[in-house]
Amino acid sequence: MRIAASTLINRGASALHDRLLPHVPEAMAGRVRMEQVQSILRMTPVMMGANIVIALLVGLAGLNSRHTAVLTVWAALVVSYALLGLRGWVVSQRRKSTKNSVSARGVRRITWQAGVLGCLWGALPILTMPKEQGFAGAMPMLVASVLAGMIGCGGFAMLTLPAAAIAYSTPMVVGALYVLATSNDPILYALGGLLIFCHMVVSVSCLSHAKIFADRLVAAEELEQQRQVVSLLLSDFEEGASDWLWEVDANGAMTYVSDRMAAAAGVDKSQLLGRPMSELCGAAEGPMGPIAALAPLFFDQKAFRDVTVSIAVGGQTHWWSLSAKPVHDLSGVFTGFRGVGADITQAREDQARISRLAHYDVLTTLPNRLSFLQALSKAWTEHGKKGGTGCAVLCLDLDHFKGVNDSLGHPIGDDLLIQASARLRDTVGELGLVSRLGGDEFAVVIAPSPGHEALGELARAIVATLSDPYDVRGHHVLIGASVGIAVAPFDADDPDGLLKNADLALYRAKGDGRGAYRFFETAMDVWAQERRALELDLRDALANNELKLFFQPLIGSVEHETIGFEALLRWQHPRRGLVPPADFIECAEQWGLIGTIGEWVLHEACRTAATWPSHLNVAVNLSPNQFASGDLVAQVRAALDASGLAPQRLELEITEGLLLHDSVKTLEQLAALKALGVKIAMDDFGTGYSSLAYLWRFPFDKIKIDRSFVAEMQDNTAIADILRTIALLGQTLNLEVTAEGVETPAQAKLLTDMRCDQFQGFLYGRPMPVGDIPSFLLSNLARQMRRESEDDGASEEAVTG
């Protein structure tokens, strides 16, 4: 009955314990129960020992009473149960369990065991204080004192497990109250109240302490988890990142050094600990500028970020970036700094390399345009303004470089630029800053200006030096240079104007025959303005219907019949008059207008030729820029479709220089044009590069001999031999050969003997507007008939004679 009551009491106490304790996460509940049990186990020897000693003393005290037998049996039971508890404790200590949690069932078992022991003590007053004897004598007082003591001791020993403490003390109170309740002694109320109060104090104390105990365990566990997470993050940070951690005390001495930091310093960690960090690091540099050293930063006790310091590692200077925050203890006292660092030596070297790339040309190692503009701005500020000593700008480029680069290849061109840059740098020397602006364009800024005479001598020396022969990978190369000079403050009001005027002077030097130098003159600015006006007018020319096509006849060399016309572009400007192609075609290419103009020429030439007799062809010149656009084939197809002209009546003329620019793409477009059925002619044959190399790579229909050969063939036997070879080449490759610039009958006869197929020149007709073509055809037909009649008459005279 008492055991059943004890079980109910234990379960109730356990339920009360679970309700009053703070909420513990399920993952932590087992750990909390284990710590509670471990706390009780640590007190088990003392508790069990106290039970044995007190039980024996109570038994000895009752030897002379009539309860001797009962007390002996009771003491034996208590001692035996206590010994069993000690045995269990010894076994648990030997087992050394690795479990870190205890189940709720284990707690209930301990609670049950405590309740059994409490029931044994609760039986003591019932056995020794019969109600009929009251509470007279020493034994009742002894029992009451023992019970009060055991309730206090049990509460203390099982302070962390309220369920066990309550299960242990409650039977004692119940047993004592039972005896007191059945007695008529007036002391009942005082002793009952005392025991109840004692029991309540013990119970509330246990519950309160257990709550605090559990809260601390949960907090400690969470703190440990956070510590592990932080440790893991720091470990991952140090292993995976390039940064590392460091700490110093209030005096700046290093108290923590990570392995990565020690490796970056090139010394063992033990040599860094305790060493002032300011001694390790040299010159410091913050985001706002240089800093004397780290010591002032430590003295200010303020956070700092991205401070760059130098450090000697293995005889070389390395650079670290440091960031840190001050650390204070719980009292707010400054205890040092904690921060991160990184070795940024490679980053600084990369930055220096990037800075050099931003200011220097990669190929020639000369300062680039950016450096030149910065130097020009500085020179203008210090010397170029009115009243100053003046400064000068020399703009120059290499004459004939493009031809070398195209014919011999870009590697040869690059080496040539390197050699020319070295010569230019040596020639200028300390007099000024030599820069490469791009391509084969260079510039020199000189401050202060040495005067016009010295500048002229320098320009002559530059032209002469750059014109000397070059040996580039076994190739004997000859180029030249042209120089334009502008001097401040006479030639410009600002640095940009000075550079622009030097460039204008360069353009005039090239226009005057290259290999020369020119100083800027005001008239050059007027000339530049005229070119700008020309550009604006040319942009409006198509819209205003100012562009016209003139046609120059192509004549057969045998019958002298007209076989077609070459379409030649003219610009009929309302103010400028008739502008020849030489004055605007090159400009149209520079200004990006040649594509639109070329497309108009194609459509207009095809439309006009479609109205001619079917045996007449039309020839149209193509610009390299039209091939570069990639739309040429579609434009030709559209012109043929719109006009209805038969493709075989259209002849497209290209220059040899075209094939030097992306020849694969060009040949693909030529093949597509050939597939349309049009004819392809190579114009100005013999004046370009590698002419013969392309005659067999693409099936041309015609080659046209440049007028310069025709003009000199009568006075130069070598040129005449060249023309015979070209004509023979045409026959061999089954190509038509057309001679341009035929102006005299003697030239025509000589070319006929060379077996040229067609003539073109002033001897047969000048370029004419489309309205003059019918009359020209009639007159040409009449001349042809007269010539045939004269030939027939000569034949008859020869027969009759």
Side-chain angles (χ1 to χ4, degrees):
M1 181 70 178
R2 286 176 181 166
I3 293 179
S6 176
T7 302
L8 292 174
I9 292 172
N10 291 344
R11 291 178 180 177
S14 178
L16 180 63
H17 167 68
D18 292 339
R19 286 196 302 269
L20 292 179
L21 281 183
H23 174 71
V24 178
E26 186 61 30
M28 277 289 298
R31 172 74 184 277
V32 171
R33 288 192 292 265
M34 184 196 72
E35 293 295 336
Q36 291 174 324
V37 171
Q38 289 296 327
S39 177
I40 292 176
L41 288 177
R42 284 192 292 270
M43 293 300 297
T44 296
V46 176
M47 184 66 179
M48 294 300 104
N51 275 270
I52 292 172
V53 171
I54 294 174
L56 291 175
L57 290 176
V58 171
L60 289 174
L63 288 177
N64 298 323
S65 68
R66 64 188 185 87
H67 305 295
T68 301
V70 175
L71 287 175
T72 301
V73 173
W74 172 84
L77 289 174
V78 172
V79 171
S80 299
Y81 195 82
L83 290 175
L84 286 175
L86 285 174
R87 178 179 178 277
W89 175 81
V90 172
V91 171
S92 67
Q93 294 299 307
R94 291 177 178 177
R95 188 177 299 166
K96 300 293 184 181
S97 176
T98 58
K99 293 182 179 180
N100 58 358
S101 66
V102 172
S103 65
R105 182 180 178 183
V107 172
R108 287 196 297 270
R109 184 171 61 251
I110 293 176
T111 303
W112 184 85
Q113 293 171 352
V116 171
L117 186 58
C119 288
L120 290 176
W121 284 101
L124 181 61
I126 298 173
L127 296 175
T128 59
M129 294 188 295
K131 60 181 181 178
E132 62 275 7
Q133 290 186 2
F135 290 93
M139 182 58 71
M141 297 303 296
L142 175 64
V143 170
S145 300
V146 168
L147 290 180
M150 294 305 296
I151 290 174
C153 291
F156 174 77
M158 292 176 280
L159 194 61
T160 60
L161 192 61
I166 293 173
Y168 175 74
S169 59
T170 300
M172 300 183 202
V173 176
V174 171
L177 290 178
Y178 171 77
V179 174
L180 294 173
T182 58
S183 175
N184 296 321
D185 197 300
I187 203 172
L188 165 66
Y189 300 106
L191 288 179
L194 178 62
L195 288 175
I196 292 173
F197 178 75
C198 182
H199 180 264
M200 290 178 62
V201 169
V202 170
S203 299
V204 172
S205 298
C206 289
L207 289 171
S208 177
H209 182 80
K211 182 178 183 302
I212 296 173
F213 182 79
D215 285 341
R216 288 181 177 176
L217 283 178
V218 172
E221 181 67 19
E222 291 177 350
L223 185 63
E224 176 63 19
Q225 291 179 356
Q226 292 176 2
R227 188 194 66 78
Q228 292 178 1
V229 170
V230 171
S231 178
L232 180 61
L233 290 176
L234 290 177
S235 178
D236 290 343
F237 172 78
E238 290 196 335
E239 291 178 2
S242 59
D243 297 357
W244 25 259
L245 304 175
W246 57 273
E247 291 183 14
V248 296
D249 59 17
N251 297 320
M254 287 178 279
T255 58
Y256 174 78
V257 175
S258 68
D259 294 337
R260 192 181 294 274
M261 179 180 177
V267 297
D268 190 75
K269 186 188 299 186
S270 60
Q271 299 180 21
L272 296 177
L273 293 175
R275 180 180 177 182
M277 195 164 185
S278 57
E279 292 183 3
L280 176 68
C281 304
E285 180 180 310
M288 304 303 294
I291 301 173
L294 281 179
L297 292 176
F298 291 159
F299 180 78
D300 290 340
Q301 300 182 13
K302 295 181 180 179
F304 57 85
R305 185 176 183 84
D306 297 330
V307 172
T308 302
V309 297
S310 63
I311 177 173
V313 180
Q316 297 180 344
T317 300
H318 284 219
W319 297 90
W320 288 359
S321 176
L322 302 178
S323 300
K325 290 184 178 181
V327 180
H328 299 83
D329 61 15
L330 296 178
S331 302
V333 178
F334 172 72
T335 59
F337 277 90
R338 180 182 296 121
V340 296
D343 190 324
I344 59 170
T345 305
Q346 186 63 45
R348 281 180 67 97
E349 293 176 354
D350 292 342
Q351 184 62 38
R353 191 177 300 110
I354 292 172
S355 178
R356 180 169 182 81
L357 290 175
H359 291 82
Y360 289 85
D361 178 60
V362 177
L363 179 64
T364 63
T365 69
L366 290 176
N368 60 12
R369 178 181 290 271
L370 177 60
S371 295
F372 169 79
L373 293 176
Q374 292 174 345
L376 176 58
S377 179
K378 180 180 179 182
W380 181 272
T381 301
E382 296 177 355
H383 305 282
K385 297 180 180 179
K386 291 182 179 180
T389 55
C391 62
V393 171
L394 284 70
C395 287
L396 62 128
D397 66 9
L398 305 179
D399 300 333
H400 314 299
F401 171 78
K402 185 177 184 301
V404 174
N405 196 49
D406 291 341
S407 59
L408 299 181
H410 294 293
I412 300 297
D414 289 346
D415 286 355
L416 178 59
L417 283 174
I418 294 173
Q419 292 189 30
S421 299
R423 292 187 185 184
L424 179 60
R425 183 166 42 208
D426 293 341
T427 303
V428 175
E430 299 297 327
L431 188 59
L433 175 75
V434 179
S435 305
R436 183 190 178 200
L437 302 185
D440 63 341
E441 300 178 5
F442 299 86
V444 182
V445 58
I446 300 175
S449 173
H452 278 61
E453 183 177 351
L455 290 172
E457 292 178 359
L458 176 62
R460 283 192 293 272
I462 290 173
V463 172
T465 300
L466 295 181
S467 300
D468 288 340
Y470 295 83
D471 183 8
V472 185
R473 299 190 185 187
H475 295 275
H476 186 74
V477 178
L478 286 173
I479 58 172
S482 300
V483 182
I485 309 170
V487 183
F490 313 107
D491 296 336
D493 296 326
D494 54 53
D496 293 338
L498 191 65
L499 177 59
K500 183 197 74 172
N501 292 339
D503 195 51
L504 288 176
L506 168 63
Y507 199 86
R508 177 52 60 90
K510 294 173 71 69
D512 290 346
R514 303 176 184 266
Y517 70 92
R518 293 289 183 271
F519 282 93
F520 172 75
E521 299 174 359
T522 306
M524 296 179 183
D525 191 36
V526 175
W527 171 78
Q529 294 178 11
E530 290 179 351
R531 279 178 58 87
R532 176 59 179 166
L534 180 68
E535 177 186 354
L536 295 176
D537 289 345
L538 184 57
R539 291 184 182 276
D540 296 333
L542 271 178
N544 297 336
N545 199 28
E546 297 173 3
L547 295 182
K548 309 292 181 183
L549 284 186
F550 277 46
F551 297 89
Q552 186 173 24
L554 295 169
I555 306 298
S557 62
V558 178
E559 303 293 337
H560 297 280
E561 76 282 10
T562 302
I563 60 176
F565 293 86
E566 179 179 359
L568 301 173
L569 183 63
R570 297 293 185 267
W571 180 12
Q572 186 66 52
H573 191 271
R575 179 174 53 83
R576 303 174 188 272
L578 190 63
V579 184
D583 291 348
F584 70 89
I585 290 296
E586 182 179 353
C587 296
E589 291 180 341
Q590 294 177 358
W591 298 331
L593 301 176
I594 197 64
T596 304
I597 295 175
E599 185 176 5
W600 177 85
V601 170
L602 273 172
H603 280 268
E604 187 66 15
C606 291
R607 185 189 64 80
T608 301
T611 64
W612 299 340
S614 59
H615 68 280
L616 295 179
N617 300 331
V618 64
V620 178
N621 289 280
L622 297 179
S623 167
N625 293 25
Q626 292 177 267
F627 282 86
S629 69
D631 299 329
L632 180 60
V633 177
Q635 293 176 6
V636 172
R637 183 185 294 109
L640 292 173
D641 293 342
S643 63
L645 183 70
Q648 63 271 18
R649 295 180 59 192
L650 176 61
E651 184 178 286
L652 301 176
E653 298 183 2
I654 66 170
T655 59
E656 298 172 73
L658 168 69
L659 299 171
L660 298 175
H661 303 281
D662 196 2
S663 60
V664 174
K665 181 180 179 181
T666 301
L667 289 175
E668 289 176 353
Q669 293 185 75
L670 288 174
L673 292 172
K674 188 78 171 176
L676 294 178
V678 301
K679 297 179 181 179
I680 307 295
M682 181 180 286
D683 198 11
D684 300 334
F685 184 77
T687 61
Y689 303 91
S690 305
S691 303
L692 297 178
Y694 294 99
L695 290 180
W696 61 269
R697 293 178 61 184
F698 183 81
F700 289 93
D701 299 288
K702 178 190 289 188
I703 54 178
K704 299 184 71 174
I705 299 173
D706 186 69
R707 64 182 64 250
S708 61
F709 288 106
V710 175
E712 298 183 23
M713 66 178 180
Q714 291 176 292
D715 300 326
N716 192 323
T717 56
I719 292 180
D721 291 338
I722 291 175
L723 293 183
R724 290 189 183 91
T725 303
I726 293 175
L728 180 60
L729 178 65
Q731 297 170 22
T732 304
L733 297 178
N734 196 27
L735 301 175
E736 293 182 349
V737 179
T738 298
E740 296 181 304
V742 180
E743 299 182 357
T744 66
Q747 292 174 341
K749 184 178 184 307
L750 185 57
L751 291 169
T752 300
D753 294 340
M754 294 179 184
R755 301 183 65 179
C756 285
D757 300 299
Q758 300 167 9
F759 298 148
Q760 181 180 351
F762 290 168
L763 177 63
Y764 300 99
R766 293 177 176 273
M768 64 191 74
V770 66
D772 294 346
I773 290 179
S775 59
F776 171 81
L777 291 175
L778 289 174
S779 62
N780 181 258
L781 179 60
R783 284 195 302 270
Q784 186 179 356
M785 292 177 65
R786 284 198 304 270
R787 189 177 293 109
E788 291 178 354
S789 177
E790 291 174 356
D791 291 342
D792 291 343
S795 299
E796 290 178 359
E797 289 180 1
V799 172
T800 56

